[in-house]
Amino acid sequence: QKGELPAELGKLDGIEIPEVTDADENGIADDTDAQRADAEKAVEAAKKADENAKTALAEAIKDGLITPTEKAELEKLQQAAEDKKAEATTKVEALPDDQKGELPAEL
């Protein structure tokens, strides 16, 4: 009486449940969320480094003179700002276009 029923049941192997890729259910893959957060941090770091360089320059030129020590410090701060901007630019450019938002303009 069983006939083909056991064979038919053997063909039913269910489904494979995929891993969660949007844990916060915001419609954006978690890896993209993390990538954007990393880019945002890099942009903030670049902005801070730029502000540090500008503040140091304003302090250094107050007396109308630039000492070798001040020049060296300004060069170091300028290089740090350039490095942070380059790092942030790379991270922002790696984002999907729909995730970049205003980040390119902030650089």
Side-chain angles (χ1 to χ4, degrees), residues 35-36 38-40 42-43 85-105 107:
Q35 185 182 11
R36 180 173 169 88
D38 190 40
E40 288 171 345
V43 168
K85 181 178 179 177
E87 178 183 342
T89 299
T90 298
K91 290 180 179 192
V92 169
E93 288 175 353
L95 289 172
D97 287 339
D98 66 340
Q99 293 299 309
K100 290 180 182 176
E102 295 297 316
L103 293 175
L107 292 171

Side-chain angles (χ1 to χ4, degrees), residues 26-89:
N26 67 351
I28 301 168
D30 294 334
D31 59 343
T32 301
D33 278 339
Q35 185 182 11
R36 180 173 169 88
D38 190 40
E40 288 171 345
K41 285 180 193 172
V43 168
E44 288 305 313
K47 288 165 49 177
K48 183 168 177 49
D50 185 66
E51 186 60 36
N52 288 345
K54 288 176 180 174
T55 300
L57 175 61
E59 276 298 311
I61 62 174
K62 272 186 179 177
D63 62 4
L65 303 170
I66 298 292
T67 66
T69 302
E70 289 171 328
K71 183 176 187 276
E73 180 64 17
L74 291 171
E75 288 171 342
K76 184 178 92 174
L77 291 170
Q78 179 185 27
Q79 187 61 54
E82 289 173 2
D83 291 347
K84 293 288 184 186
K85 181 178 179 177
E87 178 183 342
T89 299

